Amino acid sequence: MLLHASARRVLRSLLVLIFGAALCGAQDFKKQVIYQIVTDRFFDGDTSNNNPSQSSGLFDSTKTNWQVYWGGDLAGIQQQMSYLKGLGVTALWISPPVDNLNLNIPDGSGKATAAYHGYQARDFKRIEEHSGDVNNTWTAFDAFVSAAHNNGIKIIVDFAPNHTNDNSAGEFGSLYDNGTFLAAYNNDPNGYFHHNPNISNFNDRYQLQYYTLFSLSDLNQENASVDSYLKAALQQLQQHHVDGFRIDAVKHVTWGWEYSMANAAFTFGPSFFYGEWFLGGTSDPLYHDAYKFANNSGISLLDFSVNTAMRDVFANNNGFSELDNTLTTENANFTWQNDQVIFLDSHDVARFLSVNNNTNRLNEATAFLLTCRGIPVIYYGDEQYLHNDTNGGGDPYNRLWMSSFSTTTTAYKLIGQLAALRQSNDGLAYGGFQQRWMNNDVYIYERKFFNDIVLVAINKNDTTSYSITGLNTALSPGSYSDYLAGLLGGFGITVNSGTGGNNPVTAFTLPAHTVAVWQATASAAAPEVGSIGPTVGQSNVQVTIAGKGFGSATGSVLFGTSAAGIVSWSDTQVVFKVPGVSPGVYNVQLKNSGGTAANTIQFKVLTAKLIPVTFTVNNAISTNVGDYIFLTGNTVELGNWGTTFDTAIGPMLDPNIPNWFLNVSVPAGQTVQFKFIKIAANGTVTWENGTNHTYIVPTSGTGFVNVNWQF
Ligand code: NOJ
Ligand code: NOJ
């Protein structure tokens, strides 16, 4: 078809209108710096939505009741866009924007409380009246998203599919579909909710997923109506050009279902997902479950282990080895370590300055956050040294009003400089992490992506300086000035020539409270791949590979010997569709137009779109403490007959021992073969006898399959 140039232009703008974000390759978030905003507490841009009639009385203009609305809204964030752009952040993570609980649920002393934080939804298909407008329309939301996009800033929506609102007061969990009542916790004929007690054991996989989190009405995602409702709500947000999602409480939503939730979004269009899986650290009993989830679901995780270690080291006085050990452990376990989302403060923990009121330390921790591996999140107000220490400064005192928008604080400048470095030096976004020199107070580490190198030195001690001898770096011989230009006391170094990527640095003194950043970049001799996203998907799902040196002429992306269909190609980013290859894990290979190959990167090709199915095995073989029943089967989604904790599907859940069950996302329309196995505490595997079970996965909705263990 021949089209006149102007007709082509019109067509192109129409396509952009229709597909919007789908064309902007939002999967690669590693170059972003995320800024987390509690929408109600940031800026009041529209006073007409402060006390809407459908939820009147939940607003406190005096800002003395910390548990009700204070007036911040989407229009307010929009009005502060140049402040945010100046800060250098490139993505905003906002509170859940959807319609929340309308009624006051007084606290123990009779004081009003409201869902000002957004975690008590009533209608996932409308915008909260305090955030948008009194008619719950999308107008303010859309204006906010396009203002952000016009400033090169992406939008991440906090999405909370685990629950609606309080199950014992107020609206009793009421759920609406764009205004139409669906069900409530106390009016639930179709089983939209789980009716179980509050979670008491936070290490019990069954309780975590099927019990109630803090009296919040727990949605039953295995119900086909709930499944399609939540996926439609996510898709609606994608249609409103949201670039990514922070999934609330992923540990409490049915884990298998979440694979299908992310897959539904990736099937619709590009997006980035990260989940809140609260972990005590790398020795948490569910640490292994957490990284198995991150490595297989397409959902990255907020890095709670690094968060704890950072706070221990910078706010308290633990030595740097705690942080170094955490990174070493996690980097060995997470397949896509640079996709993990790292943070220092959040709406759920006391602000750093409430723990240790030392702004030097906050600056040092912020510099670390922005140069460590992973995608950094700045919690709103940290750049203004905001804190309120009432009761130790935890929730709600960590959600204080954003009372200052100064663009001259040290932290504001620091964030801007390091966000710019993330754009110019791929070591930060895509590089490995290597410790180069360490004691309790000093941490010197290197981020390296081919010849893009960033070397960072931190001394967090309040008074002691250290003499740094024997430091090596991959930086080439020469002189390097401090990238921060002395903002945190840094200075230049001299690198001498050595061997094997270990070039000695001339000894220097690192004074108390210093951060120095030395860096270099080099153009790529061959294509260099640093990122793939999403990390899992079936044929035809759109994927982005990022890095450098791809050339401007279209080359190829290979899955084995099969070439993917290329959607767009630039020197730093290639968008393509997953080819119709046999399912499995691939080391994807990019080649430039001259045929020069890049390093490979891992991606899992699914058999088909995912459908959540609950597998039950009755009267299973007996187990002892530490033994678990797992599911394994003949497709990549079922572990390709794997028999280890990491490759089989599980552990299954056993509230009705000796019957075990698990919700698992499996390929739509496929006939799958499967069996159950016992993996004993010592790793010994016992298979059930007999022939394989078979099951035809439905093409839509949810599924259930129930069999007996074959002895
Ligand atoms: C975790 C959120 O971060 C927290 O603030 C919220 O209250 C709970 N999930 C429940 O949604
Ligand atoms: C739960 C235990 O943790 C698990 O190891 C065991 O197999 C079952 N209960 C059955 O005893």
Side-chain angles (χ1 to χ4, degrees), residues 36 93 96 117-120 158 160 162-164 213-214 216 246-250 252 276 302 304 346-348 395 399:
Q36 184 195 352
W93 153 18
H117 41 67
Y119 295 108
Q120 293 208 48
D158 201 324
N162 179 62
H163 52 260
T164 58
L213 182 66
F214 314 129
L216 297 163
R246 179 267 192 187
I247 306 297
D248 186 55
V250 286
H252 302 288
E276 179 217 17
L302 280 160
F304 279 86
S346 81
H347 61 309
D348 289 329
D395 170 7
R399 302 157 180 196

Side-chain angles (χ1 to χ4, degrees), residues 450-482:
F450 296 90
N451 295 314
D452 280 12
I453 298 165
V454 179
L455 181 68
V456 180
I458 301 176
N459 177 1
K460 71 179 171 91
N461 195 287
D462 294 317
T463 51
T464 309
S465 60
Y466 290 93
S467 155
I468 309 299
T469 58
L471 172 66
N472 289 313
T473 176
L475 288 166
S476 306
S479 302
Y480 295 84
S481 60
D482 174 29

Side-chain angles (χ1 to χ4, degrees), residues 519-531:
Q519 63 96 32
T521 59
S523 55
E528 301 170 348
V529 165
S531 169

Side-chain angles (χ1 to χ4, degrees), residues 28-36 84-85 87-93 152-156 272 274 341-343 366-367 369-372 374-379 383 411-412 414-423 428-429:
D28 177 23
F29 261 71
K30 287 181 272 302
K31 289 220 152 198
Q32 312 310 321
V33 174
I34 300 171
Y35 186 78
Q36 184 195 352
L84 295 166
K85 190 182 171 140
L87 179 59
V89 298
T90 57
L92 305 179
W93 153 18
I153 293 177
K154 298 181 194 296
I155 296 301
I156 299 167
F272 178 70
Y274 60 99
V341 177
I342 55 177
F343 63 106
T366 301
L369 178 71
L370 290 160
T371 53
C372 178
I375 302 163
V377 181
I378 303 291
Y379 186 46
E383 75 280 17
Y412 188 93
L414 176 69
I415 293 163
Q417 289 189 27
L418 291 175
L421 184 59
R422 184 167 284 264
Q423 296 299 322
L428 290 187

